[in-house]
Amino acid sequence: MTDFAKLVLAADATGLVQGEQALDSLAAKGAQEGRLGGAMKRTASDLRQAGAAAKAAGTEIQAAAGQTGNLVSQFNDIATMMAAGQSPIQLAMQQGTQISQVLVTMGGGVGAVKALGAAFMGMLNPVSLLTIGSIAMGAAFSQALASMIPETKDFGEAIDDLNEAIDQARSNLDLFADGGAKLREIYGGVTEEVTDLAKAIARVDLRKMNDAANQATDALSREYNGSGWGNVSRREDMANGLDLRGAALDQMAYLADFLGTEAELGKRLDILTAMRNVLEESLPPVEQMSARQRDYYFGVVDAEKAATRALKTAQDTAAAERSLADAKIAAAYAYAGETMRQSAAMRAAYDDGLSTSPKIGQ
């Protein structure tokens, strides 16, 4: 073989050896990549399973949180109903069934009991306590402020309250009748303490009656007192609403203003009588009055009648108290006279006994 041929064969052999080495290297890398691919597939599968488990756990946590929030709402409802004076049995039946339904959906058992504790503590967290306290303080302040403002009633309600107060006061006048016979029947006697109690009852009745009379006349005074977008005066309001003119209008506006400022019941009655007289002289007969004229006229008449009854009741109460006091004085005098009579009779009997008894030594 020539040197050239040997050289060619040697070159070809070298290429084959290198090719074999390259193939072996590729095969080794392929095997390694195959193992890496399998590991990656297994890792991906594990990640998918972990993701599904996390999603399921998240769903369960979200559901549990929702149920716990529901329980917090139920506890809030219970607290609200208790504060409002709800019947315990009705409260237990209504809220107990709702809470038990929530616990059943949570699977019951220890987890449900823990959820109750979490819900209760959720209602007692600092934010809730601060909010509840702020609302309670605001409500208490509003109620206290409202209690300091006198209740405003319309005329019809005020007249009904006045007549009711008068009826109550008159019914208690029986306590003073017949020298306190009713007191003696109820309390077994007319002692100083019983008399003081009867007077206290009368004072309370008269105070309620006077307050009701003030509210009734105040409500009447607010009728046609000037209001509206035009900021009209009472005089203009009465002119438009009652069709009054001239001196009658001036008198009614003055009397209505005076009625709202006078505190004494007797003077208020005088004002109401004067108002009725002005209306009767200025307005047409009742059957020809407009609806507004008739309503106002009847209101004045009703107020005058009620004020008359109230004043008469106050006078009768004072007279009844004086009568009871006079009866007690008369009873005391009678008791003293009877005691003196009995003492005199005993003294006379004693003297007679001494005069008829045999003397010593006779």
Side-chain angles (χ1 to χ4, degrees):
M1 184 177 298
T2 66
D3 293 335
F4 179 75
K6 290 179 180 180
L7 181 60
V8 171
L9 290 174
D12 291 341
T14 301
L16 289 174
V17 172
Q18 292 176 350
E20 289 177 359
Q21 292 176 351
L23 289 173
D24 291 338
S25 178
L26 289 174
K29 290 181 178 180
Q32 184 178 2
E33 290 178 355
R35 289 192 298 271
L36 289 174
M40 291 178 64
K41 290 180 180 180
R42 289 191 297 272
T43 301
S45 178
D46 293 340
L47 289 175
R48 284 194 296 271
Q49 293 178 359
K55 184 177 180 180
T59 302
E60 293 179 359
I61 292 172
Q62 185 177 4
Q67 298 297 348
T68 302
N70 195 358
L71 288 175
V72 172
S73 299
Q74 298 297 331
F75 280 128
N76 284 329
D77 290 343
I78 291 174
T80 302
M81 292 181 179
M82 289 175 62
Q86 179 78 35
S87 167
I89 296 178
Q90 185 175 357
L91 177 60
M93 293 296 295
Q94 180 176 350
Q95 296 300 321
T97 54
Q98 295 181 10
I99 292 176
S100 64
Q101 290 173 2
V102 174
L103 295 179
V104 169
T105 60
M106 298 179 70
V110 178
V113 176
K114 290 182 178 179
L116 281 175
F120 185 73
M121 294 307 297
M123 190 178 67
L124 298 181
N125 68 74
V127 175
S128 294
L129 292 177
L130 180 61
T131 304
I132 292 171
S134 300
I135 293 173
M137 290 178 62
F141 177 76
S142 298
Q143 291 176 357
L145 184 62
S147 65
M148 293 187 291
I149 301 175
E151 181 182 2
T152 301
K153 297 182 178 181
D154 63 34
F155 178 71
E157 293 175 332
I159 281 292
D160 290 341
D161 290 346
L162 174 56
N163 285 318
E164 183 178 347
I166 294 171
D167 293 340
Q168 179 64 39
R170 297 206 67 83
S171 67
N172 285 330
L173 283 176
D174 292 342
L175 295 175
F176 301 95
D178 300 327
K182 190 72 173 179
L183 292 174
R184 193 174 293 106
E185 176 185 343
I186 297 174
Y187 300 106
V190 188
T191 63
E192 194 69 27
E193 293 79 8
V194 171
T195 303
D196 290 342
L197 175 61
K199 290 180 179 179
I201 293 173
R203 285 194 297 270
V204 171
D205 287 341
L206 291 179
R207 180 72 266 175
K208 290 181 178 179
M209 185 181 69
N210 190 64
D211 290 345
N214 288 342
Q215 286 197 355
T217 51
D218 286 346
L220 183 62
S221 177
R222 289 193 299 270
E223 297 287 333
Y224 301 104
N225 64 343
S227 59
W229 292 103
N231 194 26
V232 298
S233 65
R234 180 190 293 277
R235 190 176 184 280
E236 293 172 306
D237 206 1
M238 283 189 163
N240 296 330
L242 301 177
D243 195 23
L244 293 174
R245 299 290 184 270
L249 176 59
D250 293 336
Q251 291 175 3
M252 282 300 299
Y254 170 77
L255 290 171
D257 285 336
F258 193 21
L259 181 65
T261 58
E262 180 56 54
E264 185 180 340
L265 180 59
K267 292 183 179 179
R268 288 198 177 202
L269 176 58
D270 293 340
I271 296 171
L272 290 168
T273 301
M275 292 175 70
R276 176 177 57 82
N277 290 333
V278 171
L279 291 175
E280 289 177 348
E281 292 172 1
S282 306
L283 297 180
V286 174
E287 58 274 9
Q288 298 178 11
M289 290 181 184
S290 68
R292 300 182 70 179
Q293 289 173 336
R294 187 165 51 249
D295 288 343
Y296 191 75
Y297 172 72
F298 286 164
V300 171
V301 171
D302 289 342
E304 183 185 10
K305 288 166 54 179
T308 301
R309 290 186 63 213
L311 184 61
K312 182 68 165 57
T313 300
Q315 294 169 348
D316 290 347
T317 300
E321 290 184 6
R322 290 193 300 269
S323 176
L324 179 60
D326 293 343
K328 288 183 62 178
I329 293 173
Y333 276 122
Y335 177 78
E338 179 64 19
T339 301
M340 293 176 62
R341 187 190 67 78
Q342 292 180 2
S343 296
M346 292 175 63
R347 181 67 183 176
Y350 177 76
D351 292 341
D352 289 343
L354 288 178
S355 62
T356 58
S357 62
K359 294 182 174 55
I360 298 175
Q362 290 183 350

